[in-house]
Structures are given as C-alpha cells and as structure tokens.
Amino acid sequence: IKALVKTFDYFSINYIPRAENFRADQLANVAMDEKMSMGLEVLEYMESNDSFAQSRTSQQQYSRQEDIAFDASVPPTQLQSSKVASTFGSGNLSDNGLPIPEADVSDRQLSPHRTYVLRFGGSAKGSSVAGCAAILLDDISGEEIWSGMHYMSDKEGSQFIAGYSGLVIGLRKALSMGAKRLIVESSTEFVINQMAGKWKVKSEVIKPFYLHAKDLCDNYFEEIDFELIPADEGLGDVKALFNEAMKFQKSRLPGFLLS
C-alpha cells in the first residue's frame, strides 16, 4: 500500500462511519459470494512493480508463519461450527431456562461474509397473552430468507418479554443458517437501547432474556448493529405476524424444535 501511495501527487486517508461506506461493503460481499473480481486493472501494475513484488514476498512469509500455528488435523468445517453448534438443539434450552424454542441446524446455509437484516417485534394483551415475530432478509436484494411467529401465554405474556423473545428467535435462526453479520432493526425501543448499551436493564424478569441475547450477539456473531426504526418503516410484516400469533393463538417457526 505504501508503494502505491507514493505514485500519487497527493494522498489522504480518513475514517468514515460504516453506514457511509455501504457501497464498498456491498461490493465486497458480492465478490465473496459470487467468487468473482472486476475492475482490477491495477493488478497488472502491481505485478510489474518491484516494490509490490517485495511486499507480496513478505506477506507470503507471514502467511506461512500463520499456517505453522494452525492445526491442520482439525477439519476447517469443524473449526467453524464447533462454537455455534452449542446454540442449537434442546440442550441449550434447559441451560438458559428461557421459554423460547430452539432453532435446529438449517439445510440452507448463508454466507458468513455477507450482512443480513433481522427485523423483530412483539406485543402483549394484558399479562396473559403475547406474540412475537422475526424476519430475516437479504441486505442487498431485500429477499425474505425466513420468517416466523410465536404465541406465548401464562406468565410468558408481557410486552417486554415478547420483544426480547422475538429478538432471541431471530438470532437463533440466523445462527442456525450460518449468518455472522447482522443489522438488527426494530421499533421496540427498550430492547434496541438496552442491547446497544444505552439503557440499563433493571428488571429481574427481563434480565435472563437480555443476558441470553447479549451472549448470542457477543460470542457467536462477528458483527452486529442495532437500529431503532419507526414501526411504519418496513416493520409492517413483523407486526402482522405477531398479531396473527396472538389472534389465532398459534406459533409458526419453520426449522425450530417445538415442544
């Protein structure tokens, strides 16, 4: 990079928020998914330049050092899935004690390099009936990848627990499909602000849900952003789902282990 910079009359580098760098992130994701390159005429210059040749040699030496430290006896697929696997199946349900179904490992696997959008929400009628929902979307095409709704009753039914349940269901499903990068969107203000660290969690009833959601985000995803958006901006489908769950008192969670 330094050698390339020297070829310019003027060079400046500045930090910008990720949201302002959306197009570059988008193209990088497409390149990884499609395994293709375009617009790389600069490579011809790099191949013919001695400075770049020396830089590449150093980089290859560094890569070999990393290879020595890597245990080649463990299959790469096992390394990638060993940590995530513990969040699947009924075993984790008893561990965290939450009345939320577990997601089974999905046949469809998403790219761990791509960013996906998770939208969630929940509502309650009094303290006895509640519903939540989550929708997983492709960040580039807007395609709906998965959607589900969950009906809750008895002591499970409160708006706060419904909101966190929708988030946990969405996170579990995203993990079961191999997603590692998420933009989480909701109009549920208390969940978004608590997960983003802006608000404290004081309720002992909500705390187990918050801690489990935070554990999933901190330990199983590489990158996750929380965004508070108005209910009328893209959350209509989520609202329709959790209202349907409450109205008909039923759950529909494809790929989940329902008791």
PDB file of all heavy atoms in Angstrom, residues 27-28 30-41 43:
ATOM      1  N   LEU A  27     -20.211  -4.387  -2.348  1.00  0.00           N
ATOM      2  CA  LEU A  27     -19.424  -4.988  -3.423  1.00  0.00           C
ATOM      3  C   LEU A  27     -18.508  -6.098  -2.895  1.00  0.00           C
ATOM      4  O   LEU A  27     -18.319  -7.126  -3.544  1.00  0.00           O
ATOM      5  CB  LEU A  27     -18.604  -3.919  -4.134  1.00  0.00           C
ATOM      6  CG  LEU A  27     -19.392  -2.934  -5.009  1.00  0.00           C
ATOM      7  CD1 LEU A  27     -18.489  -1.816  -5.499  1.00  0.00           C
ATOM      8  CD2 LEU A  27     -20.026  -3.659  -6.196  1.00  0.00           C
ATOM      9  N   ALA A  28     -17.931  -5.881  -1.714  1.00  0.00           N
ATOM     10  CA  ALA A  28     -17.065  -6.903  -1.124  1.00  0.00           C
ATOM     11  C   ALA A  28     -17.855  -8.178  -0.830  1.00  0.00           C
ATOM     12  O   ALA A  28     -17.379  -9.292  -1.056  1.00  0.00           O
ATOM     13  CB  ALA A  28     -16.427  -6.373   0.160  1.00  0.00           C
ATOM     14  N   VAL A  30     -20.575  -9.180  -2.410  1.00  0.00           N
ATOM     15  CA  VAL A  30     -20.892  -9.805  -3.691  1.00  0.00           C
ATOM     16  C   VAL A  30     -19.684 -10.573  -4.214  1.00  0.00           C
ATOM     17  O   VAL A  30     -19.810 -11.695  -4.722  1.00  0.00           O
ATOM     18  CB  VAL A  30     -21.345  -8.742  -4.713  1.00  0.00           C
ATOM     19  CG1 VAL A  30     -21.452  -9.352  -6.107  1.00  0.00           C
ATOM     20  CG2 VAL A  30     -22.683  -8.150  -4.308  1.00  0.00           C
ATOM     21  N   ALA A  31     -18.498  -9.992  -4.106  1.00  0.00           N
ATOM     22  CA  ALA A  31     -17.277 -10.648  -4.578  1.00  0.00           C
ATOM     23  C   ALA A  31     -17.056 -11.978  -3.868  1.00  0.00           C
ATOM     24  O   ALA A  31     -16.692 -12.976  -4.492  1.00  0.00           O
ATOM     25  CB  ALA A  31     -16.070  -9.725  -4.364  1.00  0.00           C
ATOM     26  N   MET A  32     -17.294 -12.002  -2.547  1.00  0.00           N
ATOM     27  CA  MET A  32     -17.099 -13.236  -1.793  1.00  0.00           C
ATOM     28  C   MET A  32     -18.150 -14.273  -2.139  1.00  0.00           C
ATOM     29  O   MET A  32     -17.846 -15.460  -2.285  1.00  0.00           O
ATOM     30  CB  MET A  32     -17.121 -12.930  -0.292  1.00  0.00           C
ATOM     31  CG  MET A  32     -15.886 -12.204   0.199  1.00  0.00           C
ATOM     32  SD  MET A  32     -15.827 -11.987   1.988  1.00  0.00           S
ATOM     33  CE  MET A  32     -17.088 -10.724   2.220  1.00  0.00           C
ATOM     34  N   ASP A  33     -19.394 -13.824  -2.268  1.00  0.00           N
ATOM     35  CA  ASP A  33     -20.469 -14.771  -2.565  1.00  0.00           C
ATOM     36  C   ASP A  33     -20.359 -15.344  -3.970  1.00  0.00           C
ATOM     37  O   ASP A  33     -20.545 -16.541  -4.192  1.00  0.00           O
ATOM     38  CB  ASP A  33     -21.836 -14.090  -2.407  1.00  0.00           C
ATOM     39  CG  ASP A  33     -22.272 -14.058  -0.953  1.00  0.00           C
ATOM     40  OD1 ASP A  33     -21.535 -14.594  -0.116  1.00  0.00           O
ATOM     41  OD2 ASP A  33     -23.335 -13.488  -0.660  1.00  0.00           O
ATOM     42  N   GLU A  34     -20.061 -14.483  -4.933  1.00  0.00           N
ATOM     43  CA  GLU A  34     -20.016 -14.910  -6.328  1.00  0.00           C
ATOM     44  C   GLU A  34     -18.642 -15.414  -6.749  1.00  0.00           C
ATOM     45  O   GLU A  34     -18.467 -15.911  -7.865  1.00  0.00           O
ATOM     46  CB  GLU A  34     -20.433 -13.742  -7.243  1.00  0.00           C
ATOM     47  CG  GLU A  34     -21.818 -13.188  -6.948  1.00  0.00           C
ATOM     48  CD  GLU A  34     -22.911 -14.228  -7.149  1.00  0.00           C
ATOM     49  OE1 GLU A  34     -22.712 -15.122  -7.999  1.00  0.00           O
ATOM     50  OE2 GLU A  34     -23.946 -14.158  -6.464  1.00  0.00           O
ATOM     51  N   LYS A  35     -17.648 -15.252  -5.864  1.00  0.00           N
ATOM     52  CA  LYS A  35     -16.274 -15.663  -6.150  1.00  0.00           C
ATOM     53  C   LYS A  35     -15.804 -15.077  -7.484  1.00  0.00           C
ATOM     54  O   LYS A  35     -15.343 -15.780  -8.382  1.00  0.00           O
ATOM     55  CB  LYS A  35     -16.173 -17.193  -6.176  1.00  0.00           C
ATOM     56  CG  LYS A  35     -16.494 -17.841  -4.835  1.00  0.00           C
ATOM     57  CD  LYS A  35     -16.359 -19.338  -4.879  1.00  0.00           C
ATOM     58  CE  LYS A  35     -16.669 -19.960  -3.521  1.00  0.00           C
ATOM     59  NZ  LYS A  35     -16.562 -21.424  -3.532  1.00  0.00           N
ATOM     60  N   MET A  36     -15.941 -13.763  -7.586  1.00  0.00           N
ATOM     61  CA  MET A  36     -15.579 -13.093  -8.832  1.00  0.00           C
ATOM     62  C   MET A  36     -14.898 -11.770  -8.526  1.00  0.00           C
ATOM     63  O   MET A  36     -14.994 -11.238  -7.425  1.00  0.00           O
ATOM     64  CB  MET A  36     -16.825 -12.831  -9.688  1.00  0.00           C
ATOM     65  CG  MET A  36     -17.859 -11.931  -9.023  1.00  0.00           C
ATOM     66  SD  MET A  36     -19.260 -11.519 -10.093  1.00  0.00           S
ATOM     67  CE  MET A  36     -18.466 -10.406 -11.245  1.00  0.00           C
ATOM     68  N   SER A  37     -14.164 -11.258  -9.513  1.00  0.00           N
ATOM     69  CA  SER A  37     -13.496  -9.963  -9.410  1.00  0.00           C
ATOM     70  C   SER A  37     -13.831  -9.134 -10.636  1.00  0.00           C
ATOM     71  O   SER A  37     -14.130  -9.672 -11.705  1.00  0.00           O
ATOM     72  CB  SER A  37     -11.978 -10.141  -9.316  1.00  0.00           C
ATOM     73  OG  SER A  37     -11.632 -10.951  -8.214  1.00  0.00           O
ATOM     74  N   MET A  38     -13.790  -7.820 -10.472  1.00  0.00           N
ATOM     75  CA  MET A  38     -13.984  -6.943 -11.619  1.00  0.00           C
ATOM     76  C   MET A  38     -13.314  -5.611 -11.322  1.00  0.00           C
ATOM     77  O   MET A  38     -13.157  -5.207 -10.173  1.00  0.00           O
ATOM     78  CB  MET A  38     -15.471  -6.734 -11.908  1.00  0.00           C
ATOM     79  CG  MET A  38     -16.255  -6.092 -10.792  1.00  0.00           C
ATOM     80  SD  MET A  38     -18.008  -5.933 -11.216  1.00  0.00           S
ATOM     81  CE  MET A  38     -18.631  -5.145  -9.732  1.00  0.00           C
ATOM     82  N   GLY A  39     -12.910  -4.926 -12.405  1.00  0.00           N
ATOM     83  CA  GLY A  39     -12.300  -3.613 -12.256  1.00  0.00           C
ATOM     84  C   GLY A  39     -10.944  -3.633 -11.599  1.00  0.00           C
ATOM     85  O   GLY A  39     -10.567  -2.696 -10.901  1.00  0.00           O
ATOM     86  N   LEU A  40     -10.171  -4.715 -11.792  1.00  0.00           N
ATOM     87  CA  LEU A  40      -8.879  -4.841 -11.113  1.00  0.00           C
ATOM     88  C   LEU A  40      -7.709  -4.698 -12.073  1.00  0.00           C
ATOM     89  O   LEU A  40      -6.736  -5.441 -12.021  1.00  0.00           O
ATOM     90  CB  LEU A  40      -8.802  -6.190 -10.391  1.00  0.00           C
ATOM     91  CG  LEU A  40      -9.840  -6.399  -9.281  1.00  0.00           C
ATOM     92  CD1 LEU A  40      -9.653  -7.753  -8.629  1.00  0.00           C
ATOM     93  CD2 LEU A  40      -9.736  -5.296  -8.231  1.00  0.00           C
ATOM     94  N   GLU A  41      -7.805  -3.732 -12.983  1.00  0.00           N
ATOM     95  CA  GLU A  41      -6.706  -3.498 -13.922  1.00  0.00           C
ATOM     96  C   GLU A  41      -5.425  -3.105 -13.214  1.00  0.00           C
ATOM     97  O   GLU A  41      -4.317  -3.295 -13.723  1.00  0.00           O
ATOM     98  CB  GLU A  41      -7.086  -2.395 -14.916  1.00  0.00           C
ATOM     99  CG  GLU A  41      -8.228  -2.754 -15.849  1.00  0.00           C
ATOM    100  CD  GLU A  41      -9.599  -2.578 -15.215  1.00  0.00           C
ATOM    101  OE1 GLU A  41      -9.653  -2.120 -14.057  1.00  0.00           O
ATOM    102  OE2 GLU A  41     -10.594  -2.910 -15.872  1.00  0.00           O
ATOM    103  N   LEU A  43      -3.976  -4.570 -10.968  1.00  0.00           N
ATOM    104  CA  LEU A  43      -3.143  -5.740 -10.683  1.00  0.00           C
ATOM    105  C   LEU A  43      -1.996  -5.877 -11.676  1.00  0.00           C
ATOM    106  O   LEU A  43      -0.919  -6.368 -11.336  1.00  0.00           O
ATOM    107  CB  LEU A  43      -4.000  -7.007 -10.697  1.00  0.00           C
ATOM    108  CG  LEU A  43      -4.979  -7.159  -9.524  1.00  0.00           C
ATOM    109  CD1 LEU A  43      -5.783  -8.440  -9.673  1.00  0.00           C
ATOM    110  CD2 LEU A  43      -4.229  -7.163  -8.204  1.00  0.00           C
TER     111      LEU A  43
END
